[in-house]
Amino acid sequence: MEEFLSKAKTASRVFNTLSGSAKNRILKEMAEALRANTMDLLEANALDMADGKKNSLTSALMDRLFLDESRVEGMAVAVEEIAGLKEPVGRVLEGWITEDGLKIEKTSIPIGVIGIIYESRPNVTSDTAALCFKSSNVCVLKGGKEAENSNKAIAKVLQAVLERNSLPKELVSLIPDSSREGVNKLIKMDKYVDLIIPRGGAGLIKHVCDNATVSVVKHDKGQCHTYIDRDAKLDNAIAIAINAKVQRPGVCNAMETLLVDSAIAKKALPLLKAEFDKAHTELKGCLNTQSIIEVANATDEDYDTEYLANILNIKVVDGVEGAIEHIVRFTSGHSEAIITEDITTAETFLNAIDAAAVYVNASTRFTDGGAFGFGAEVGISTNKLHARGPMGIEGLTTYKFKIYGSGQTR
Amino acid sequence: MEEFLSKAKTASRVFNTLSGSAKNRILKEMAEALRANTMDLLEANALDMADGKKNSLTSALMDRLFLDESRVEGMAVAVEEIAGLKEPVGRVLEGWITEDGLKIEKTSIPIGVIGIIYESRPNVTSDTAALCFKSSNVCVLKGGKEAENSNKAIAKVLQAVLERNSLPKELVSLIPDSSREGVNKLIKMDKYVDLIIPRGGAGLIKHVCDNATVSVVKHDKGQCHTYIDRDAKLDNAIAIAINAKVQRPGVCNAMETLLVDSAIAKKALPLLKAEFDKAHTELKGCLNTQSIIEVANATDEDYDTEYLANILNIKVVDGVEGAIEHIVRFTSGHSEAIITEDITTAETFLNAIDAAAVYVNASTRFTDGGAFGFGAEVGISTNKLHARGPMGIEGLTTYKFKIYGSGQTR
């Protein structure tokens, strides 16, 4: 592993002399190569699908794993779109002349070598490889075991394009040892690896955060809340609550707990229940909720659970302060929303809640790179530092100060 | 420790409702309180000085530890200057309207609870406390054992001002258990602590980075190089080399190794030696250097040593590529300089070297918050992410996205 990572680190230096147009041409070649090798990719994927069937993967997981011609075409298009993004490195983020006459340019640069740990969907392999290549980073990819054949086939296609262009194939690599031990080595190799991005279950993320010596930008769970205040427009509130829960329950920006102001609970809860029943949402609630509508009992454990399913906790709280108390206790720092027409209440909520995205009168479902207008996204960071929330390709860069003098000394 | 940190985390919420002018007024009160309690501070410091004498601290350390009336006045003035900085939280860093009509404001916010581990100088205690307070962060300070009495006295003065203003004294705290075990607990309390900033020796920093589960922004050593290219103005080169080594050898942005292009070594080295001899610099050199001037032998270990003293390694390298090879191997990512009049050579160096600050024709000694124009500085980060290089008070903030909708759903 160490030898491999040392090679990867050295390989990263070729980006110093690779122009943006060369990178874009190579990305387009990669897209073409994915198309041209569709049959190979589907064959490899069929092996994974057969294994998945043998291992009784859920139908949701099987669907995420599955490739067909149109999905491979989608992968190729995504790589082409990434080629079309604005060049992310070499941008002067700030520039000024100091009192000593030094010209300082704070300039965006690649991070270096990035280890990315993820699960299931094979398109993440080509997306991530393309985002890293576009931003002049070497990527070391650790995909899910269940997609191993597909990921290997994809990496092989991309590496063939690199070699055809006389570039080291280490620029886009799968981790050479994909066992837990291999991952444990990777996350401690701070000499060669500059960043680890773990995307996946809570156990994986905690393990990486607890054991990594490399910097980590985590993509953790979304324990998202919506609070309906006494001053909400109730139509808005209901539409937003339904959207936040029901439109796509399996994603991290979906709502898990709905908080309702005690001042309007008697009026709002029956209306909400009627709509959620139509959407076949399974409802749980606090004792106050249960005294108004018929729902199962919600426990503290429920308030702490990211269902990723059409299940919702409802809790009655005393005004915005009650909502803040609950959210401070259970938030994962992803996305939180208040529905209110009162400016002061809205600002109190916006300031008190510490999360990547805090909404007034909108669905938490908007927390994503596309909806934010960032283009292709690396993921949604729940880190507090470096990149927070929807993480565009700029999240794969850092900076250095370039300083131009004419003989200055102190 | 856990109970204390939990209190600190809760205390951080008072900043949500503390205005900038209230913070500035309190900072000015802190400055006045430092002045008013000068005698108490000097008494506590005398205890540390006596202990230091007993423990045979070096005269350099004793000097860093020492307080007198003018140094206390300096601490008070520094706190007043920090009060005068622009409000760092609540700034809208970017703002836009999405295609869905959501108004997004990327807004600077405090990081939360910051643990800062440092050594010796008692003024760091008041500086850091003031910087954290100004940026609405709770600080948990772990100073050096040798300055324990001084630090306790300073913290007591600052906490009295907080309490007089009905604020929780946990906003500015010394770590309750300053043993190694206490530090080990602090750096793993990611539930309550949002950032650890270690400033100090390599051993401390490695220990923190290896064991922390909290995010770390490290202030590591400066293994800084200056490369004199064949196309340098030799006068410039010599003046910059002397300045980078001699003006203040004990700081992290001082040069440790001078690289000289083989094409000009025969001419440049005798001139350099004459100047360094005048400055009483102890010179070590590679075999090629030794064949031209009389110097001791420099080993790989020397090239890897931050002397923090008037000692310099000299190495002859083959052009800018040779310089890059050496620097890539030995850099600590702090500050690196090239002296050349050739644009292409300069840009090759600027692009290839991965360090916080990369200079053309200037001394590495300029890497600091003051020289960069940042005002008061937290330190000089050798992190690659979050804050890199001179770290102004903005380095103590992160951001969230505030999103204003009018009922949007997806």
Side-chain angles (χ1 to χ4, degrees), chain A residues 243 353 384 398 400 410, chain B residues 243 350 384 398 400 410:
Chain A
N243 180 261
I353 297 299
K384 201 147 174 188
T398 179
K400 66 180 162 193
R410 286 189 94 173
Chain B
N243 180 260
L350 285 172
K384 200 147 175 189
T398 178
K400 66 180 162 194
R410 285 189 95 173

Side-chain angles (χ1 to χ4, degrees), chain A residues 123-376:
Chain A
N123 69 304
V124 175
T125 303
S126 53
D127 284 3
T128 309
L131 282 163
C132 286
F133 187 80
K134 173 81 184 186
S135 52
S136 299
N137 290 292
V138 171
C139 60
V140 179
L141 304 169
K142 159 72 179 84
K145 214 171 182 54
E146 68 287 355
E148 199 170 356
N149 292 295
S150 310
N151 290 338
K152 275 188 180 161
I154 294 165
K156 195 176 150 199
V157 168
L158 303 182
Q159 290 186 330
V161 174
L162 292 173
E163 293 194 306
R164 200 194 305 150
N165 283 280
S166 309
L167 292 171
K169 68 180 194 312
E170 286 80 13
L171 297 185
V172 173
S173 305
L174 299 185
I175 190 172
D177 170 6
S178 67
S179 69
R180 191 157 179 118
E181 245 171 53
V183 172
N184 283 345
K185 273 187 201 155
L186 174 72
I187 64 180
K188 286 181 187 294
M189 285 280 172
D190 44 277
K191 193 169 164 193
Y192 304 112
V193 182
D194 299 290
L195 177 64
I196 297 285
I197 303 180
R199 300 168 55 167
L204 165 74
I205 299 214
K206 187 168 161 33
H207 178 77
V208 170
C209 291
D210 284 357
N211 293 287
T213 62
V214 180
S215 294
V216 175
V217 171
K218 61 182 189 287
H219 292 60
D220 208 346
K221 71 173 184 175
Q223 193 69 34
C224 305
H225 302 79
T226 302
Y227 163 62
I228 303 179
D229 182 62
R230 64 194 65 184
D231 292 315
K233 278 189 190 161
L234 216 48
D235 289 358
N236 263 0
I238 293 168
I240 289 170
I242 293 287
N243 180 261
K245 179 72 257 181
V246 173
Q247 191 230 357
R248 209 173 156 198
V251 292
C252 59
N253 57 20
M255 167 175 65
E256 305 296 352
T257 298
L258 178 66
L259 304 171
V260 178
D261 192 339
S262 55
I264 54 158
K266 276 195 184 131
K267 184 175 170 201
L269 285 175
L271 299 171
L272 285 160
K273 180 166 165 50
E275 292 303 312
F276 277 115
D277 282 350
K278 279 187 217 161
H280 307 292
T281 306
E282 181 187 332
L283 298 177
K284 304 184 181 190
C286 67
L287 292 178
N288 285 327
T289 303
Q290 292 172 49
S291 74
I292 303 172
I293 56 173
E294 214 187 299
V295 292
N297 186 51
T299 64
D300 275 3
E301 203 190 320
D302 291 321
Y303 295 134
D304 208 23
T305 300
E306 186 187 26
Y307 292 121
L308 298 171
N310 197 6
I311 309 172
L312 178 71
N313 306 312
I314 302 180
K315 190 179 178 191
V316 174
V317 294
D318 283 335
V320 68
E321 291 302 336
I324 291 168
E325 276 308 320
H326 181 92
I327 293 173
V328 163
R329 182 160 168 215
F330 292 102
T331 183
S332 64
H334 193 296
S335 301
E336 309 293 356
I338 182 173
I339 318 301
T340 188
E341 294 296 312
D342 187 277
I343 288 182
T344 305
T345 307
E347 288 298 324
T348 300
F349 186 89
L350 285 172
N351 291 327
I353 297 299
D354 184 15
V358 194
Y359 291 84
V360 180
N361 296 334
S363 166
T364 54
R365 287 280 295 109
F366 284 100
T367 303
D368 96 26
F372 271 43
F374 290 173

Side-chain angles (χ1 to χ4, degrees), chain B residues 32-335:
Chain B
E32 273 315 310
L34 289 170
R35 285 191 185 99
N37 289 282
T38 300
M39 284 309 132
D40 288 354
L41 299 183
L42 297 190
E43 264 174 43
N45 184 250
L47 295 176
D48 288 332
M49 293 295 288
D51 284 349
K53 210 168 171 182
K54 221 183 295 168
N55 296 324
S56 319
L57 290 191
T58 64
S59 63
L61 274 179
M62 290 291 276
D63 179 62
R64 298 178 70 182
L65 188 55
F66 178 64
L67 289 183
D68 59 14
E69 277 185 53
S70 86
R71 286 193 178 182
V72 173
E73 173 61 23
M75 287 162 54
V77 168
V79 172
E80 285 167 343
E81 282 173 1
I82 289 164
L85 292 176
K86 215 172 111 183
E87 174 61 39
V89 309
R91 285 176 304 135
V92 177
L93 308 171
E94 286 181 73
W96 68 97
I97 307 240
T98 71
E99 291 182 354
D100 302 295
L102 296 170
K103 187 175 82 173
I104 301 188
E105 290 182 354
K106 182 178 174 179
T107 306
S108 72
I109 60 164
I111 288 174
V113 177
I114 305 182
I116 301 170
I117 305 171
Y118 56 99
E119 288 166 352
S120 306
R121 284 181 300 141
N123 70 303
V124 176
T125 303
S126 52
D127 285 3
T128 309
L131 283 163
C132 286
F133 187 80
K134 173 81 183 185
S135 52
S136 299
N137 289 292
V138 171
C139 60
V140 179
L141 303 169
K142 159 72 180 82
K145 214 173 182 52
E146 67 288 354
E148 199 168 356
N149 292 295
S150 311
N151 290 338
K152 276 187 180 161
I154 295 166
K156 197 177 150 200
V157 168
L158 303 182
Q159 289 187 332
V161 174
L162 292 173
E163 294 194 308
R164 199 193 308 151
N165 283 280
S166 310
L167 291 172
K169 67 178 196 310
E170 286 80 13
L171 296 185
V172 173
S173 307
L174 298 185
I175 188 172
D177 170 7
S178 68
S179 69
R180 191 157 179 114
E181 245 172 50
V183 171
N184 283 345
K185 272 187 203 155
L186 175 71
I187 64 180
K188 286 181 186 295
M189 286 278 174
D190 44 275
K191 192 170 165 192
Y192 304 113
V193 183
D194 300 289
L195 177 65
I196 297 285
I197 303 181
R199 300 168 56 167
L204 165 73
I205 300 215
K206 188 170 160 35
H207 179 77
V208 171
C209 292
D210 284 357
N211 293 288
T213 61
V214 181
S215 293
V216 175
V217 171
K218 61 182 189 287
H219 291 60
D220 207 347
K221 72 173 183 175
Q223 193 68 34
C224 305
H225 302 80
T226 303
Y227 163 62
I228 304 180
D229 183 61
R230 65 194 64 183
D231 293 315
K233 278 189 191 162
L234 217 47
D235 290 358
N236 263 359
I238 293 168
I240 290 170
I242 293 288
N243 180 260
K245 178 72 259 179
V246 173
Q247 192 232 355
R248 208 172 157 198
V251 291
C252 58
N253 57 21
M255 166 175 66
E256 305 296 352
T257 298
L258 178 66
L259 304 171
V260 178
D261 192 339
S262 56
I264 54 157
K266 276 196 184 132
K267 186 176 169 199
L269 285 176
L271 299 171
L272 285 160
K273 180 164 165 50
E275 293 303 314
F276 277 114
D277 282 350
K278 280 186 215 163
H280 307 292
T281 305
E282 181 187 332
L283 299 177
K284 302 184 182 190
C286 66
L287 291 178
N288 285 325
T289 303
Q290 292 172 49
S291 75
I292 301 172
I293 55 174
E294 215 187 299
V295 293
N297 186 51
T299 63
D300 275 2
E301 204 190 321
D302 291 321
Y303 295 134
D304 207 23
T305 301
E306 186 187 26
Y307 292 120
L308 298 171
N310 196 6
I311 309 171
L312 178 71
N313 306 313
I314 302 180
K315 191 179 178 191
V316 174
V317 294
D318 284 334
V320 68
E321 291 302 336
I324 291 168
E325 277 308 320
H326 181 92
I327 294 173
V328 163
R329 185 164 166 211
F330 292 101
T331 185
S332 63
H334 193 296
S335 301

